[in-house]
Amino acid sequence: ACAGYGLTCRVGASEVLLGNREWLGRHGVSLSAAQEAQVAPLEAEGKTIVLAARDGQLAGAVTLADTLKPEAAAVLSQLREMGVQLWICSGDNERTVRHLAQQLGVANFTACVSPSGKAEKVAALQAVGEVVAMVGDGINDAPALAQADLGVAIGGGTDVAIETADVVLLNSDLGGVAVALHLARAVMRRIRLNFVWAFGYNIVGLPLAAGLFYPAYQIHLPPMFAGAAMALSSVSVVCSSLLLRCYRPPKLPRHCAAQLDGAASTRASVEV
């Protein structure tokens, strides 16, 4: 077996291959024009094709279709409004990934990517100065989750992805990705505000307490008032931070939710 590609086994005296096009191609199995004509429309509908070959001859194909999460389009729309550049990085074939990207309104995507290829894509974005957050839930996503500046694992994902990620959503709702980013920005804004306030407060208070203005202007701050002012500075920063308790997560544009055709996540086998 080879992660992200397929597997080879023996059934009786026959060698059986099961995997994607590249896996079968490595073993000298390719699709004829007639077979390609049957498979291409299924891929154009966003379905993943798992090919099966026996003794070097294509024997059949299984179509798999992952149902989009109802909130996926709304979450991505929210992230775009927040100024996030979106990428889809998938091991599926290009037709399937293109169809998915069109459904979700994502312009940037890469297809036929191995687990290590996902990590390389993340590294390539980092090399041009991008700060990359990777969201995934599978074993194939673990290398990219580790490579990213921020790895986010879906709560219902595999143990490997959860152990590798920096942030783990408590459930499978993708809305948590937008909320986590929005909350992180709110916290950083509050930290900067506290820093500016405390810095400005001390820039004014310390010279007064030290008596630097007394010789010229006879202005000074008595020690007892200086001590009270210092305590007040700390209290004001703490109170400012406590205002984060009033944080409210953003409301996702639910009108952008994807309209899905059918509820089944797996389709039947198709002979080619």
Side-chain angles (χ1 to χ4, degrees), residues 45-48 63-73 92 96 99-100 103-104 137 154 172 174 257-267:
E45 294 174 5
K47 298 174 182 177
T48 300
T63 62
L64 304 175
D66 291 331
T67 301
L68 288 176
K69 290 180 177 293
E71 73 276 10
D92 284 330
T96 299
H99 178 80
L100 177 64
Q103 279 188 297
L104 297 175
D137 63 354
I154 307 300
S172 297
L174 292 176
Q259 300 298 320
L260 305 176
D261 297 326
S265 61
T266 305
R267 307 303 183 206

Side-chain angles (χ1 to χ4, degrees), residues 4-270:
Y5 294 97
L7 58 86
T8 303
C9 62
R10 298 200 69 84
V11 179
S14 300
E15 182 183 56
V16 176
L17 304 173
L18 192 66
N20 57 22
R21 292 169 182 263
E22 185 173 347
W23 181 249
L24 268 65
R26 291 182 183 181
H27 294 81
V29 181
S30 59
L31 275 67
S32 66
Q35 292 166 342
E36 181 67 36
Q38 287 183 283
V39 169
L42 297 173
E43 292 179 336
E45 294 174 5
K47 298 174 182 177
T48 300
I49 307 298
V50 180
L51 301 172
R54 181 176 181 179
D55 294 330
Q57 297 295 322
L58 190 66
V62 178
T63 62
L64 304 175
D66 291 331
T67 301
L68 288 176
K69 290 180 177 293
E71 73 276 10
V75 172
L76 296 184
S77 177
Q78 180 70 39
L79 291 173
R80 274 192 294 269
E81 292 178 5
M82 296 168 66
V84 177
Q85 182 184 11
L86 301 175
W87 279 82
I88 294 177
C89 194
S90 173
D92 284 330
N93 64 82
E94 185 173 355
R95 292 193 188 100
T96 299
V97 179
R98 185 183 301 277
H99 178 80
L100 177 64
Q102 290 173 347
Q103 279 188 297
L104 297 175
V106 177
N108 305 309
F109 65 88
T110 55
C112 302
V113 184
S114 65
S116 59
K118 292 181 180 181
E120 291 171 1
K121 180 60 182 178
V122 171
L125 291 173
Q126 292 172 326
V128 295
E130 300 287 354
V131 178
V132 182
M134 170 70 184
V135 182
D137 63 354
I139 295 175
N140 292 345
D141 298 321
L145 288 170
Q147 175 66 41
D149 298 288
L150 175 66
V152 181
I154 307 300
T158 62
D159 291 340
V160 174
I162 291 175
E163 289 295 329
T164 306
D166 303 297
V167 176
V168 179
L169 303 182
L170 296 181
N171 52 47
S172 297
D173 187 355
L174 292 176
V177 176
V179 172
L181 178 58
H182 190 267
L183 176 59
R185 290 181 173 180
V187 171
M188 289 305 300
R189 283 196 300 270
R190 183 60 55 178
I191 290 173
R192 294 188 184 99
L193 176 63
N194 289 344
F195 179 79
V196 171
W197 161 251
F199 188 77
Y201 190 93
N202 285 281
I203 283 292
V204 174
L206 287 175
L208 286 174
L212 295 182
F213 299 121
Y214 187 79
Y217 306 104
Q218 284 73 52
I219 299 175
H220 74 288
L221 192 64
M224 60 180 179
F225 291 112
M230 191 64 194
L232 181 61
S233 172
S234 300
V235 171
S236 64
V237 169
V238 172
C239 291
S240 174
S241 300
L242 289 175
L243 289 176
L244 286 171
R245 293 175 61 89
C246 300
Y247 171 80
R248 293 293 180 270
K251 292 184 179 180
L252 298 179
R254 294 296 180 184
H255 62 277
C256 296
Q259 300 298 320
L260 305 176
D261 297 326
S265 61
T266 305
R267 307 303 183 206
S269 173
V270 177

